Amino acid sequence: MIRTRFAPSPTGYLHIGGARTALFSWAYARKMGGQFVLRIEDTDQERSTLESEKAILDGLAWLGIDWDEGPFYQMKRLDRYKEIAQRLLDEGRAYRCYASREELEAMREAQRARGEKPRYDGRWRPEPGKVLPAPPEGVAPVVRFKTPRDGEVGFDDLIKGPITVANAELDDLVILRGDGIPTYNFGVVVDDWDMGITHVIRGDDHVNNTPRQINILLALGAPLPVYAHVPMILGHDGERLSKRHGAVSVLQYKEDGYLPEALLNYLARLGWGHGDDEKFSMAQFVEWFEVGNVSHSPARFDQEKLAWLNQQYLKEADDARLAGLARPFLIRQAIDPDRADLPRIVGLLKERVATVEELADAAHIFYRQAEPAVEELRDRLAPEALPALEALKAALAGVAWRAADLNQLIKDSAKAHGLKLGQIGIPLRLVLFGTAQTPSIDQTLELLGRDETLRRFEAAWPHALAVVQAGRD
């Protein structure tokens, strides 16, 4: 059975790159009828936090990336790592190293001074005929893997193709620290082996780790997984994606009003494609996904493209769902969402916005009467339109309150006074809503309601008249 995994470290939020890796691993398992495993690599005790772990789990849940097993925690598996390290020691494939941090730093400084690549020099590595010093007292040794000195190690990456590294380029890496906590390269090997991971799909910043991990797997007689290293994501400027490029946390996009299906769709298109298809469901993505079709080159994150895609999903979203998503934004802005018919409001506005946050902002016109800018009112409300608006104000009290009837009333008012529709429609928007940009005025008025429309007209009309009069003077 195909088994993939996602193994984040809880030292920060779930970022865009990690979410894409999880998505690709999840999609491959789903496509192949396999299983997707979640593992939390929490051995960095200084930086790992429960808050980060929660952010990762919440981010995956929001995106809808579910897992079949886990989450497994490395810190609960320390005995297993010690057991495997002891086996390697017993078989002569690992050894204890007592070199202090100061010794190792001095060693590297001397190597750099000679123009050499800094690396462990094997001073505690047992060799035939080599006499090792007595272990110093009071020093907790690390355990180092005894990397083969000859030959090479290679693998056929599903994305990058064949990769081969000479063992002479690899030094003896630490696999178990003095405190009994495994290093990354050792923990991941034992975990992937124990959990039966068949395919490792991860970022290409791990390419250099793979030969080391393969050597350990070979020493253990463990089966080798298939590897696929996904190229990194760059910002619009070609630099590695970072905080300065904007929101890179998955949950930040939730806070900013993006829909999870839009972000998933966009992540799927970062470095992978299916012809010219830009918008597709996750079911389609799983059906189409092939690891070998992932691009060899880094992908560029385009915030505008994501916003466009989110807009397409907003247009299709259920109004009741969008109303529920918009509610927290309105509440944070001290607006009671229940004072108006929010599902109908979002249904009217959703084609004009790119995020739920923008949707909530656009809904303000139905909850608060804003005073228009004096300059705009002066420019858009002509003196000759005043009689038409006065007559319209009176007529609104008796018209049937349906969009079609309101539309006809506004047209008739403009025609009766020899005005173009915009000469009455735009000033009407300014007076009632404080902005010239609203959806169609008839639908907007129908949703606002007769009583609120007349109340706003009465409240704003004296100010409008004063602005026009001041312009005349």
Side-chain angles (χ1 to χ4, degrees), residues 66-89:
D66 57 343
W67 50 92
D68 302 294
E69 293 181 15
F72 298 106
Y73 296 86
Q74 288 187 323
M75 288 302 292
K76 294 181 179 180
R77 289 172 43 79
L78 295 184
D79 288 344
R80 176 60 173 165
Y81 306 127
K82 293 175 184 176
E83 174 192 345
I84 299 301
Q86 186 60 52
R87 172 184 156 183
L88 291 172
L89 286 168

PDB file of all heavy atoms in Angstrom, residues 66-89:
ATOM      1  N   ASP A  66      -6.970  15.909   5.503  1.00  0.00           N
ATOM      2  CA  ASP A  66      -7.147  14.971   6.608  1.00  0.00           C
ATOM      3  C   ASP A  66      -6.088  13.877   6.559  1.00  0.00           C
ATOM      4  O   ASP A  66      -5.440  13.668   5.544  1.00  0.00           O
ATOM      5  CB  ASP A  66      -8.550  14.359   6.568  1.00  0.00           C
ATOM      6  CG  ASP A  66      -8.844  13.647   5.246  1.00  0.00           C
ATOM      7  OD1 ASP A  66      -8.124  13.894   4.251  1.00  0.00           O
ATOM      8  OD2 ASP A  66      -9.793  12.846   5.200  1.00  0.00           O
ATOM      9  N   TRP A  67      -5.907  13.193   7.676  1.00  0.00           N
ATOM     10  CA  TRP A  67      -4.890  12.155   7.734  1.00  0.00           C
ATOM     11  C   TRP A  67      -5.505  10.856   8.262  1.00  0.00           C
ATOM     12  O   TRP A  67      -6.524  10.859   8.965  1.00  0.00           O
ATOM     13  CB  TRP A  67      -3.704  12.584   8.595  1.00  0.00           C
ATOM     14  CG  TRP A  67      -4.069  13.132   9.946  1.00  0.00           C
ATOM     15  CD1 TRP A  67      -4.171  12.436  11.115  1.00  0.00           C
ATOM     16  CD2 TRP A  67      -4.377  14.498  10.269  1.00  0.00           C
ATOM     17  NE1 TRP A  67      -4.518  13.280  12.139  1.00  0.00           N
ATOM     18  CE2 TRP A  67      -4.648  14.550  11.653  1.00  0.00           C
ATOM     19  CE3 TRP A  67      -4.442  15.677   9.531  1.00  0.00           C
ATOM     20  CZ2 TRP A  67      -4.993  15.731  12.315  1.00  0.00           C
ATOM     21  CZ3 TRP A  67      -4.781  16.863  10.167  1.00  0.00           C
ATOM     22  CH2 TRP A  67      -5.051  16.885  11.551  1.00  0.00           C
ATOM     23  N   ASP A  68      -4.882   9.751   7.878  1.00  0.00           N
ATOM     24  CA  ASP A  68      -5.381   8.429   8.253  1.00  0.00           C
ATOM     25  C   ASP A  68      -4.771   7.927   9.550  1.00  0.00           C
ATOM     26  O   ASP A  68      -5.397   7.144  10.269  1.00  0.00           O
ATOM     27  CB  ASP A  68      -5.087   7.422   7.127  1.00  0.00           C
ATOM     28  CG  ASP A  68      -5.710   7.856   5.809  1.00  0.00           C
ATOM     29  OD1 ASP A  68      -6.946   7.894   5.725  1.00  0.00           O
ATOM     30  OD2 ASP A  68      -4.953   8.178   4.872  1.00  0.00           O
ATOM     31  N   GLU A  69      -3.550   8.352   9.847  1.00  0.00           N
ATOM     32  CA  GLU A  69      -2.880   7.935  11.085  1.00  0.00           C
ATOM     33  C   GLU A  69      -2.140   9.129  11.678  1.00  0.00           C
ATOM     34  O   GLU A  69      -1.645   9.991  10.954  1.00  0.00           O
ATOM     35  CB  GLU A  69      -1.886   6.806  10.818  1.00  0.00           C
ATOM     36  CG  GLU A  69      -2.522   5.500  10.388  1.00  0.00           C
ATOM     37  CD  GLU A  69      -1.482   4.405  10.166  1.00  0.00           C
ATOM     38  OE1 GLU A  69      -0.328   4.576  10.616  1.00  0.00           O
ATOM     39  OE2 GLU A  69      -1.826   3.384   9.536  1.00  0.00           O
ATOM     40  N   GLY A  70      -2.050   9.145  12.995  1.00  0.00           N
ATOM     41  CA  GLY A  70      -1.341  10.211  13.676  1.00  0.00           C
ATOM     42  C   GLY A  70      -2.310  11.205  14.299  1.00  0.00           C
ATOM     43  O   GLY A  70      -3.512  10.978  14.339  1.00  0.00           O
ATOM     44  N   PRO A  71      -1.769  12.320  14.799  1.00  0.00           N
ATOM     45  CA  PRO A  71      -0.355  12.671  14.710  1.00  0.00           C
ATOM     46  C   PRO A  71       0.527  11.865  15.677  1.00  0.00           C
ATOM     47  O   PRO A  71       0.143  11.621  16.807  1.00  0.00           O
ATOM     48  CB  PRO A  71      -0.340  14.165  15.073  1.00  0.00           C
ATOM     49  CG  PRO A  71      -1.562  14.376  15.907  1.00  0.00           C
ATOM     50  CD  PRO A  71      -2.582  13.402  15.411  1.00  0.00           C
ATOM     51  N   PHE A  72       1.693  11.459  15.160  1.00  0.00           N
ATOM     52  CA  PHE A  72       2.706  10.808  15.965  1.00  0.00           C
ATOM     53  C   PHE A  72       3.728  11.861  16.407  1.00  0.00           C
ATOM     54  O   PHE A  72       4.029  12.783  15.656  1.00  0.00           O
ATOM     55  CB  PHE A  72       3.410   9.711  15.164  1.00  0.00           C
ATOM     56  CG  PHE A  72       2.486   8.610  14.717  1.00  0.00           C
ATOM     57  CD1 PHE A  72       2.082   8.514  13.396  1.00  0.00           C
ATOM     58  CD2 PHE A  72       2.025   7.671  15.629  1.00  0.00           C
ATOM     59  CE1 PHE A  72       1.231   7.497  12.973  1.00  0.00           C
ATOM     60  CE2 PHE A  72       1.175   6.643  15.219  1.00  0.00           C
ATOM     61  CZ  PHE A  72       0.772   6.558  13.888  1.00  0.00           C
ATOM     62  N   TYR A  73       4.246  11.695  17.617  1.00  0.00           N
ATOM     63  CA  TYR A  73       5.184  12.670  18.178  1.00  0.00           C
ATOM     64  C   TYR A  73       6.525  12.000  18.439  1.00  0.00           C
ATOM     65  O   TYR A  73       6.603  10.958  19.110  1.00  0.00           O
ATOM     66  CB  TYR A  73       4.626  13.252  19.480  1.00  0.00           C
ATOM     67  CG  TYR A  73       3.353  14.030  19.276  1.00  0.00           C
ATOM     68  CD1 TYR A  73       2.122  13.388  19.272  1.00  0.00           C
ATOM     69  CD2 TYR A  73       3.388  15.403  19.059  1.00  0.00           C
ATOM     70  CE1 TYR A  73       0.943  14.089  19.071  1.00  0.00           C
ATOM     71  CE2 TYR A  73       2.219  16.117  18.856  1.00  0.00           C
ATOM     72  CZ  TYR A  73       0.999  15.457  18.867  1.00  0.00           C
ATOM     73  OH  TYR A  73      -0.168  16.168  18.652  1.00  0.00           O
ATOM     74  N   GLN A  74       7.592  12.613  17.949  1.00  0.00           N
ATOM     75  CA  GLN A  74       8.912  12.017  18.115  1.00  0.00           C
ATOM     76  C   GLN A  74       9.341  11.944  19.574  1.00  0.00           C
ATOM     77  O   GLN A  74       9.997  10.986  19.976  1.00  0.00           O
ATOM     78  CB  GLN A  74       9.941  12.800  17.294  1.00  0.00           C
ATOM     79  CG  GLN A  74       9.808  12.595  15.792  1.00  0.00           C
ATOM     80  CD  GLN A  74      10.939  13.247  15.015  1.00  0.00           C
ATOM     81  OE1 GLN A  74      11.412  14.328  15.365  1.00  0.00           O
ATOM     82  NE2 GLN A  74      11.363  12.592  13.953  1.00  0.00           N
ATOM     83  N   MET A  75       8.964  12.939  20.365  1.00  0.00           N
ATOM     84  CA  MET A  75       9.399  12.937  21.758  1.00  0.00           C
ATOM     85  C   MET A  75       8.770  11.787  22.559  1.00  0.00           C
ATOM     86  O   MET A  75       9.231  11.479  23.655  1.00  0.00           O
ATOM     87  CB  MET A  75       9.081  14.279  22.422  1.00  0.00           C
ATOM     88  CG  MET A  75       9.977  15.421  21.950  1.00  0.00           C
ATOM     89  SD  MET A  75      11.747  15.103  22.226  1.00  0.00           S
ATOM     90  CE  MET A  75      11.839  15.158  24.020  1.00  0.00           C
ATOM     91  N   LYS A  76       7.760  11.152  22.020  1.00  0.00           N
ATOM     92  CA  LYS A  76       7.163   9.984  22.674  1.00  0.00           C
ATOM     93  C   LYS A  76       7.799   8.681  22.181  1.00  0.00           C
ATOM     94  O   LYS A  76       7.383   7.597  22.604  1.00  0.00           O
ATOM     95  CB  LYS A  76       5.654   9.956  22.421  1.00  0.00           C
ATOM     96  CG  LYS A  76       4.909  11.118  23.069  1.00  0.00           C
ATOM     97  CD  LYS A  76       3.410  11.026  22.808  1.00  0.00           C
ATOM     98  CE  LYS A  76       2.680  12.188  23.479  1.00  0.00           C
ATOM     99  NZ  LYS A  76       1.206  12.140  23.241  1.00  0.00           N
ATOM    100  N   ARG A  77       8.788   8.813  21.283  1.00  0.00           N
ATOM    101  CA  ARG A  77       9.417   7.629  20.686  1.00  0.00           C
ATOM    102  C   ARG A  77      10.920   7.542  20.995  1.00  0.00           C
ATOM    103  O   ARG A  77      11.664   6.855  20.307  1.00  0.00           O
ATOM    104  CB  ARG A  77       9.199   7.659  19.164  1.00  0.00           C
ATOM    105  CG  ARG A  77       7.770   7.401  18.764  1.00  0.00           C
ATOM    106  CD  ARG A  77       7.519   7.633  17.275  1.00  0.00           C
ATOM    107  NE  ARG A  77       8.534   7.102  16.392  1.00  0.00           N
ATOM    108  CZ  ARG A  77       8.632   5.811  16.043  1.00  0.00           C
ATOM    109  NH1 ARG A  77       7.758   4.916  16.522  1.00  0.00           N
ATOM    110  NH2 ARG A  77       9.589   5.412  15.212  1.00  0.00           N
ATOM    111  N   LEU A  78      11.347   8.237  22.036  1.00  0.00           N
ATOM    112  CA  LEU A  78      12.783   8.299  22.320  1.00  0.00           C
ATOM    113  C   LEU A  78      13.391   6.916  22.573  1.00  0.00           C
ATOM    114  O   LEU A  78      14.530   6.654  22.164  1.00  0.00           O
ATOM    115  CB  LEU A  78      13.044   9.219  23.518  1.00  0.00           C
ATOM    116  CG  LEU A  78      12.687  10.702  23.324  1.00  0.00           C
ATOM    117  CD1 LEU A  78      13.087  11.500  24.565  1.00  0.00           C
ATOM    118  CD2 LEU A  78      13.364  11.274  22.074  1.00  0.00           C
ATOM    119  N   ASP A  79      12.642   6.049  23.242  1.00  0.00           N
ATOM    120  CA  ASP A  79      13.182   4.712  23.518  1.00  0.00           C
ATOM    121  C   ASP A  79      13.469   3.960  22.223  1.00  0.00           C
ATOM    122  O   ASP A  79      14.441   3.192  22.137  1.00  0.00           O
ATOM    123  CB  ASP A  79      12.208   3.911  24.384  1.00  0.00           C
ATOM    124  CG  ASP A  79      12.164   4.403  25.818  1.00  0.00           C
ATOM    125  OD1 ASP A  79      13.080   5.147  26.211  1.00  0.00           O
ATOM    126  OD2 ASP A  79      11.200   4.051  26.540  1.00  0.00           O
ATOM    127  N   ARG A  80      12.618   4.180  21.219  1.00  0.00           N
ATOM    128  CA  ARG A  80      12.823   3.487  19.937  1.00  0.00           C
ATOM    129  C   ARG A  80      14.106   3.972  19.258  1.00  0.00           C
ATOM    130  O   ARG A  80      14.872   3.173  18.713  1.00  0.00           O
ATOM    131  CB  ARG A  80      11.611   3.728  19.040  1.00  0.00           C
ATOM    132  CG  ARG A  80      11.725   3.157  17.634  1.00  0.00           C
ATOM    133  CD  ARG A  80      11.929   1.657  17.636  1.00  0.00           C
ATOM    134  NE  ARG A  80      11.861   1.123  16.265  1.00  0.00           N
ATOM    135  CZ  ARG A  80      12.276  -0.079  15.923  1.00  0.00           C
ATOM    136  NH1 ARG A  80      12.788  -0.893  16.846  1.00  0.00           N
ATOM    137  NH2 ARG A  80      12.180  -0.491  14.666  1.00  0.00           N
ATOM    138  N   TYR A  81      14.350   5.279  19.291  1.00  0.00           N
ATOM    139  CA  TYR A  81      15.568   5.808  18.658  1.00  0.00           C
ATOM    140  C   TYR A  81      16.821   5.278  19.376  1.00  0.00           C
ATOM    141  O   TYR A  81      17.817   4.926  18.739  1.00  0.00           O
ATOM    142  CB  TYR A  81      15.565   7.333  18.666  1.00  0.00           C
ATOM    143  CG  TYR A  81      14.328   7.937  18.050  1.00  0.00           C
ATOM    144  CD1 TYR A  81      13.577   8.883  18.744  1.00  0.00           C
ATOM    145  CD2 TYR A  81      13.888   7.556  16.784  1.00  0.00           C
ATOM    146  CE1 TYR A  81      12.434   9.436  18.193  1.00  0.00           C
ATOM    147  CE2 TYR A  81      12.745   8.108  16.228  1.00  0.00           C
ATOM    148  CZ  TYR A  81      12.010   9.035  16.943  1.00  0.00           C
ATOM    149  OH  TYR A  81      10.877   9.572  16.394  1.00  0.00           O
ATOM    150  N   LYS A  82      16.744   5.221  20.703  1.00  0.00           N
ATOM    151  CA  LYS A  82      17.879   4.706  21.474  1.00  0.00           C
ATOM    152  C   LYS A  82      18.125   3.236  21.150  1.00  0.00           C
ATOM    153  O   LYS A  82      19.270   2.796  21.042  1.00  0.00           O
ATOM    154  CB  LYS A  82      17.622   4.889  22.971  1.00  0.00           C
ATOM    155  CG  LYS A  82      17.596   6.343  23.418  1.00  0.00           C
ATOM    156  CD  LYS A  82      17.208   6.451  24.891  1.00  0.00           C
ATOM    157  CE  LYS A  82      17.081   7.912  25.315  1.00  0.00           C
ATOM    158  NZ  LYS A  82      16.620   8.034  26.724  1.00  0.00           N
ATOM    159  N   GLU A  83      17.039   2.498  20.973  1.00  0.00           N
ATOM    160  CA  GLU A  83      17.162   1.071  20.647  1.00  0.00           C
ATOM    161  C   GLU A  83      17.870   0.874  19.305  1.00  0.00           C
ATOM    162  O   GLU A  83      18.779   0.045  19.184  1.00  0.00           O
ATOM    163  CB  GLU A  83      15.757   0.456  20.587  1.00  0.00           C
ATOM    164  CG  GLU A  83      15.731  -0.985  20.117  1.00  0.00           C
ATOM    165  CD  GLU A  83      14.310  -1.459  19.803  1.00  0.00           C
ATOM    166  OE1 GLU A  83      13.348  -0.782  20.214  1.00  0.00           O
ATOM    167  OE2 GLU A  83      14.173  -2.503  19.130  1.00  0.00           O
ATOM    168  N   ILE A  84      17.471   1.660  18.297  1.00  0.00           N
ATOM    169  CA  ILE A  84      18.082   1.519  16.974  1.00  0.00           C
ATOM    170  C   ILE A  84      19.518   2.022  16.987  1.00  0.00           C
ATOM    171  O   ILE A  84      20.408   1.438  16.337  1.00  0.00           O
ATOM    172  CB  ILE A  84      17.256   2.268  15.913  1.00  0.00           C
ATOM    173  CG1 ILE A  84      15.852   1.682  15.831  1.00  0.00           C
ATOM    174  CG2 ILE A  84      17.925   2.190  14.548  1.00  0.00           C
ATOM    175  CD1 ILE A  84      15.803   0.211  15.480  1.00  0.00           C
ATOM    176  N   ALA A  85      19.784   3.089  17.738  1.00  0.00           N
ATOM    177  CA  ALA A  85      21.160   3.583  17.844  1.00  0.00           C
ATOM    178  C   ALA A  85      22.053   2.525  18.498  1.00  0.00           C
ATOM    179  O   ALA A  85      23.201   2.306  18.070  1.00  0.00           O
ATOM    180  CB  ALA A  85      21.190   4.881  18.650  1.00  0.00           C
ATOM    181  N   GLN A  86      21.532   1.861  19.528  1.00  0.00           N
ATOM    182  CA  GLN A  86      22.316   0.815  20.192  1.00  0.00           C
ATOM    183  C   GLN A  86      22.585  -0.346  19.250  1.00  0.00           C
ATOM    184  O   GLN A  86      23.671  -0.928  19.263  1.00  0.00           O
ATOM    185  CB  GLN A  86      21.573   0.322  21.434  1.00  0.00           C
ATOM    186  CG  GLN A  86      22.368  -0.659  22.279  1.00  0.00           C
ATOM    187  CD  GLN A  86      23.664  -0.043  22.794  1.00  0.00           C
ATOM    188  OE1 GLN A  86      23.663   1.032  23.395  1.00  0.00           O
ATOM    189  NE2 GLN A  86      24.798  -0.733  22.547  1.00  0.00           N
ATOM    190  N   ARG A  87      21.610  -0.668  18.419  1.00  0.00           N
ATOM    191  CA  ARG A  87      21.821  -1.739  17.438  1.00  0.00           C
ATOM    192  C   ARG A  87      22.953  -1.373  16.488  1.00  0.00           C
ATOM    193  O   ARG A  87      23.823  -2.209  16.189  1.00  0.00           O
ATOM    194  CB  ARG A  87      20.529  -1.990  16.661  1.00  0.00           C
ATOM    195  CG  ARG A  87      20.714  -2.954  15.500  1.00  0.00           C
ATOM    196  CD  ARG A  87      19.459  -3.120  14.682  1.00  0.00           C
ATOM    197  NE  ARG A  87      19.788  -3.554  13.323  1.00  0.00           N
ATOM    198  CZ  ARG A  87      18.892  -3.723  12.351  1.00  0.00           C
ATOM    199  NH1 ARG A  87      17.617  -3.490  12.586  1.00  0.00           N
ATOM    200  NH2 ARG A  87      19.277  -4.119  11.147  1.00  0.00           N
ATOM    201  N   LEU A  88      22.963  -0.132  16.011  1.00  0.00           N
ATOM    202  CA  LEU A  88      24.032   0.305  15.107  1.00  0.00           C
ATOM    203  C   LEU A  88      25.382   0.284  15.816  1.00  0.00           C
ATOM    204  O   LEU A  88      26.413  -0.069  15.215  1.00  0.00           O
ATOM    205  CB  LEU A  88      23.720   1.697  14.561  1.00  0.00           C
ATOM    206  CG  LEU A  88      22.534   1.788  13.594  1.00  0.00           C
ATOM    207  CD1 LEU A  88      22.205   3.253  13.270  1.00  0.00           C
ATOM    208  CD2 LEU A  88      22.834   1.041  12.294  1.00  0.00           C
ATOM    209  N   LEU A  89      25.397   0.651  17.101  1.00  0.00           N
ATOM    210  CA  LEU A  89      26.639   0.586  17.877  1.00  0.00           C
ATOM    211  C   LEU A  89      27.113  -0.864  17.990  1.00  0.00           C
ATOM    212  O   LEU A  89      28.304  -1.160  17.791  1.00  0.00           O
ATOM    213  CB  LEU A  89      26.411   1.181  19.268  1.00  0.00           C
ATOM    214  CG  LEU A  89      26.289   2.698  19.377  1.00  0.00           C
ATOM    215  CD1 LEU A  89      25.770   3.095  20.750  1.00  0.00           C
ATOM    216  CD2 LEU A  89      27.640   3.374  19.119  1.00  0.00           C
TER     217      LEU A  89
END
